[in-house]
Amino acid sequence: MTVTQSAPTGVPAPAAAATATTRKKQHFSPWQEVWRRFRRHRLALASSIVLGLIIVTVVFGPLVWTVPINEIDFAAKLQGPSWAHPLGTDDLGQDVLARMIYGGRISLAVGLAAMVVAIFVGVLVGAIAGMASGKVDAALMWLSDLFLSLPTLPLLLLIIYLFRDSLKAVFGVEGGIFIMIVVVIGGLRWMPAARLVRAQFLSLREKEFVEAARALGASRTRQVVQHILPNALGPVIVAATIDVAAAIIQESTLSFLGLGFPPDIPTWGRLLADAKDYLDIAPHWALASGAAIFLTVLSINFIGDGLRDALDPRRVI
Amino acid sequence: MVETLLEIHGLKTWFKTDDGMVRAVDGVDLRIDHGETLGVVGESGCGKTVTARSVLKLIDMPPGRFEGGRILWRGRDLIPLDDQEMNKIRAREIAIIFQEPMTSLNPVYTVGDQIAEVIALHQKLGRKQAMEGAAEMLRLVNIPNPQHRVHDYPHQFSGGMRQRVMIAMALSCQPKLLIADEPTTALDVTIQAQILELMHEMKDRFGMAIMLITHAMGVVAETCQRVTVMYAGKVVEEAPVGELFGQPRHPYTQGLIRSIPRVDRAAEKKQRLEAISGTVPSLLDPPPGCRFAARCRYASDICVREMPPLKEVAPGHFVRCVL
């Protein structure tokens, strides 16, 4: 009974045992534990700081950098970085920094919201398919195959063409288009998550710990929510980070085709699309928007990596 | 008169497959009294596990199906109960532990959380009290330093320790019956002995009965009061443990006992271990006669033609054989 744990720890036994106990005494909330593990992942931590800075900038930037986003000044068009315009100006002489800050709000919001829609629908469909099996499973997988085989862009165009005006009427120009773009992008990106979750569920639900939970009186909902879902989340988190990136880029495609936000509302994608014609004379313009998208996507991916590792207690960090 | 906890009468659990009905459990009768340890032995695929899971209704339906029989838990038939009603019996009255301690715990929660979940679920306690209960259970199953170990994850425990955790979890609501489905098969011999000892200790402490499913005759001899021998979905012999080992009546039981390795004899005479020749018959549309007839050295015509009934040859000793 009193065989202590310090015995097998090796040479500096008393010290190791002491630190082990003090660390264990500190805290025990699972989220604190996740945070402790997340902090060890250097890249993820740095990425959270970068993403945090980007978010703070786009949220509070307009309060500090009060240059209007649409002040046209042909005298100062396509200028490189200067004190008056830290990121230069575009082909209409508008301040790129102000447009970047404003556009970042939209791009980030679209990316995150579309990811939430895609992951929510995907997890729901995948979980139902994975638990139900049989006909329901077949039907849902058939549905996701159907969605996967749809040509995305023409469908987007069709949906936008059909619903743009009615949504605009209800939620206003920006709100209406925001909702539409999020639903359209998210609604066409849930299939990979659904298949991922279904595959995870199919293998996890046969695991003995699920049966043990069932044998000890856990209801079906509890089995799914408490025991299967948390074990399936690792790949879903990684998929979610990729979805954010893809949504930002897809939004830029739509804006580029003139089907997203109106041309006078800047988004990162739109800025990049506009800048590409002036790559040779004004590279700063494309570089600014490209770097913003790149940094955001990259840091979200690293955060996803770090989260996955931090949430998996088996992984030693 | 001791209270009879569990009585199974003519239980038939069949599985529908593409090739037809597999009669995994085909008319099993057994009984467990308050506070006793019943051993259920038989080789792989004889229906021991399916019987155990049928009791807790853990069989997936479909493909499984109860074709007949009754499972009486303290006089109440469990077969018609739905999942919700079963959940009141699971863990609170009947608990089960499985063979694989390595995979029976959820890897993403601490063991304390998992034990506390069971306690909170059935006893409607708050998280803090449930965690205290979990630590107390870990102490009862002899895990050193339980106050700290509750916060560890399953991968930080060894196989034997995890089986202790499983036992703690299963016993956290003081069930009347613990079904142990080959609890020691995946463990090495010294740990096996410790786990069996622990189960014995817990049995005395909580006054519960144990249904010990195993294929190790040695384990049965050490721990059980009564033994039920199963073969191909049927009970072939049931007897008090001393009588079963002293006077086995069914040729299958005799074969099982002869095939127990004996280190002393093997060393002296360089004897080969005796085995029962042949394999278990297919449970898809089994032949009408005795299921063991094809492997039995005493088989005669009548064995192939009809299934012998289970008859009492001595008080409490039942055999399904014409001999």
Side-chain angles (χ1 to χ4, degrees):
Chain A
M1 270 285 268
T2 47
V3 182
T4 54
Q5 289 181 312
S6 60
T9 45
V11 194
T19 49
T21 35
T22 45
R23 197 172 75 207
K24 279 179 182 208
K25 269 177 193 161
Q26 282 174 2
H27 56 68
F28 278 116
S29 135
W31 289 111
Q32 280 173 320
E33 180 69 14
V34 167
W35 171 233
R36 189 182 69 75
R37 294 164 63 88
F38 184 77
R39 272 187 329 204
R40 301 244 181 124
H41 201 293
R42 293 270 167 81
L43 269 175
L45 194 65
S47 298
S48 337
I49 295 169
V50 170
L51 189 69
L53 283 178
I54 293 175
I55 290 173
V56 168
T57 311
V58 301
V59 172
F60 299 107
L63 303 176
V64 181
W65 190 251
T66 46
V67 176
I69 59 164
N70 45 12
E71 195 181 58
I72 296 171
D73 176 8
F74 285 109
K77 74 172 188 178
L78 294 175
Q79 279 180 353
S82 64
W83 283 113
H85 305 289
L87 291 179
T89 58
D90 64 7
D91 56 340
L92 298 175
Q94 302 175 105
D95 182 56
V96 173
L97 179 61
R99 293 178 73 78
M100 285 286 302
I101 291 171
Y102 189 86
R105 290 181 166 188
I106 296 179
S107 288
L108 280 176
V110 165
L112 292 171
M115 176 272 282
V116 169
V117 171
I119 293 299
F120 180 77
V121 176
V123 168
L124 196 68
V125 170
I128 292 172
M131 285 311 283
S133 66
K135 281 180 190 156
V136 179
D137 178 26
L140 286 173
M141 282 304 106
W142 180 80
L143 186 75
S144 76
D145 281 345
L146 181 84
F147 267 83
L148 274 175
S149 64
L150 288 174
T152 317
L153 210 51
L155 191 74
L156 283 176
L157 302 188
L158 182 72
I159 295 171
I160 289 166
Y161 177 72
L162 288 176
F163 297 109
R164 176 138 89 164
D165 293 326
S166 47
L167 276 168
K168 252 190 210 170
V170 181
F171 298 102
V173 180
E174 276 186 45
I177 291 177
F178 178 77
I179 290 174
M180 184 184 69
I181 286 181
V182 163
V183 169
V184 161
I185 294 177
L188 288 173
R189 284 202 61 86
W190 55 268
M191 299 79 73
R195 304 183 135 224
L196 212 59
V197 171
R198 171 180 174 266
Q200 291 272 317
F201 266 56
L202 285 182
S203 86
L204 284 169
R205 67 173 200 177
E206 304 298 334
K207 284 276 188 316
E208 280 177 329
F209 62 80
V210 177
E211 180 155 29
R214 185 176 164 211
L216 293 171
S219 64
R220 210 170 154 78
T221 329
R222 183 176 274 271
Q223 288 166 42
V224 172
V225 175
Q226 284 267 55
H227 294 280
I228 301 182
L229 199 57
N231 277 288
L233 279 188
V236 174
I237 289 172
V238 177
T241 62
I242 295 169
D243 274 353
V244 176
I248 290 178
I249 291 170
Q250 203 155 28
E251 184 277 321
S252 70
T253 313
L254 289 177
S255 298
F256 179 67
L257 290 170
L259 290 156
F261 293 90
D264 55 325
I265 297 177
T267 69
W268 286 349
R270 166 138 232 130
L271 287 172
L272 189 61
D274 290 344
K276 75 171 190 338
D277 297 334
Y278 300 95
L279 257 184
D280 44 353
I281 29 179
H284 64 271
W285 186 9
L287 222 53
S289 45
I293 294 178
F294 172 77
L295 266 182
T296 308
V297 168
L298 193 68
S299 48
I300 290 175
N301 272 328
F302 281 136
I303 293 171
D305 259 7
L307 267 184
R308 183 197 54 195
D309 291 355
L311 289 172
D312 181 355
R314 280 159 297 187
R315 204 177 293 260
V316 179
I317 299 180
Chain B
M1 184 65 200
V2 200
E3 185 196 9
T4 297
L5 288 177
L6 180 73
E7 256 183 298
I8 299 179
H9 293 294
L11 178 70
K12 293 182 178 179
T13 310
W14 295 3
F15 292 88
K16 199 174 172 179
T17 66
D18 290 341
D19 303 322
M21 276 290 185
V22 174
R23 305 181 177 197
V25 170
D26 200 14
V28 162
D29 304 278
L30 56 83
R31 187 189 92 235
I32 298 177
D33 291 334
H34 185 82
E36 81 169 336
T37 305
L38 173 77
V40 179
V41 290
E43 62 201 276
S44 301
C46 73
K48 314 181 292 275
T49 299
V50 174
T51 307
R53 291 183 188 205
S54 298
V55 172
L56 277 162
K57 299 188 67 185
L58 295 174
I59 306 285
D60 282 325
M61 317 223 165
R65 199 153 89 192
F66 288 130
E67 280 294 322
R70 291 192 298 165
I71 301 172
L72 295 178
W73 173 249
R74 305 170 96 181
R76 182 184 183 201
D77 194 354
L78 299 182
I79 287 183
L81 297 190
D82 62 20
D83 226 33
Q84 217 176 348
E85 288 171 298
M86 278 310 295
N87 277 345
K88 291 182 189 152
I89 290 176
R90 292 172 185 156
R92 264 184 258 187
E93 304 201 18
I94 310 175
I96 188 166
I97 53 176
F98 297 113
Q99 179 177 354
E100 266 303 327
M102 303 312 271
T103 52
S104 293
L105 290 163
N106 192 335
V108 304
Y109 295 111
T110 64
V111 298
D113 280 337
Q114 295 185 57
I115 301 173
E117 186 196 344
V118 179
I119 297 177
L121 190 64
H122 291 286
Q123 300 178 0
K124 307 276 177 273
L125 289 178
R127 196 190 127 76
K128 194 148 183 255
Q129 285 166 298
M131 274 308 261
E132 279 164 18
E136 173 64 16
M137 286 313 298
L138 285 188
R139 192 183 62 75
L140 282 181
V141 296
N142 297 336
I143 287 188
N145 217 347
Q147 291 298 339
H148 290 156
R149 294 294 262 169
V150 280
H151 302 294
D152 281 350
Y153 287 90
H155 69 271
Q156 292 163 304
F157 288 81
S158 68
M161 287 290 206
R162 285 191 215 186
Q163 196 59 290
R164 284 170 192 269
V165 172
M166 283 309 295
I167 292 175
M169 208 158 132
L171 300 188
S172 58
C173 295
Q174 283 108 48
K176 291 265 182 300
L177 170 66
L178 175 68
I179 301 176
D181 188 358
E182 310 207 20
T184 58
T185 310
L187 305 172
D188 67 53
V189 187
T190 48
I191 306 296
Q192 255 185 34
Q194 288 174 15
I195 295 289
L196 290 172
E197 174 64 27
L198 174 70
M199 284 174 50
H200 198 73
E201 201 184 305
M202 292 294 113
K203 184 188 117 163
D204 291 343
R205 176 184 284 269
F206 293 117
M208 63 180 182
I210 295 178
M211 176 171 164
L212 180 67
I213 297 171
T214 180
H215 50 237
M217 292 303 269
V219 170
V220 169
E222 274 169 41
T223 51
C224 303
Q225 278 107 53
R226 277 193 310 122
V227 187
T228 293
V229 182
M230 283 183 70
Y231 184 76
K234 291 243 179 230
V235 172
V236 293
E237 185 158 6
E238 185 197 316
V241 71
E243 206 167 312
L244 189 93
F245 283 93
Q247 297 160 299
R249 302 300 266 277
H250 197 283
Y252 177 63
T253 317
Q254 293 167 1
L256 276 184
I257 292 172
R258 273 199 306 271
S259 62
I260 301 172
R262 288 277 300 267
V263 180
D264 50 343
R265 273 194 222 162
E268 273 167 28
K269 301 183 193 161
K270 295 285 173 220
Q271 237 176 8
R272 275 188 72 90
L273 186 60
E274 205 170 318
I276 304 174
S277 61
T279 52
V280 192
S282 161
L283 296 173
L284 273 170
D285 301 315
C290 174
R291 301 260 162 100
F292 189 59
R295 299 167 78 182
C296 181
R297 60 173 82 171
Y298 311 110
S300 59
D301 290 350
I302 187 161
C303 298
V304 184
R305 274 201 312 275
E306 57 186 89
M307 174 74 72
L310 203 59
K311 60 175 191 269
E312 191 161 11
V313 290
H317 190 161
F318 298 84
V319 179
R320 191 187 291 281
C321 187
V322 289
L323 291 174

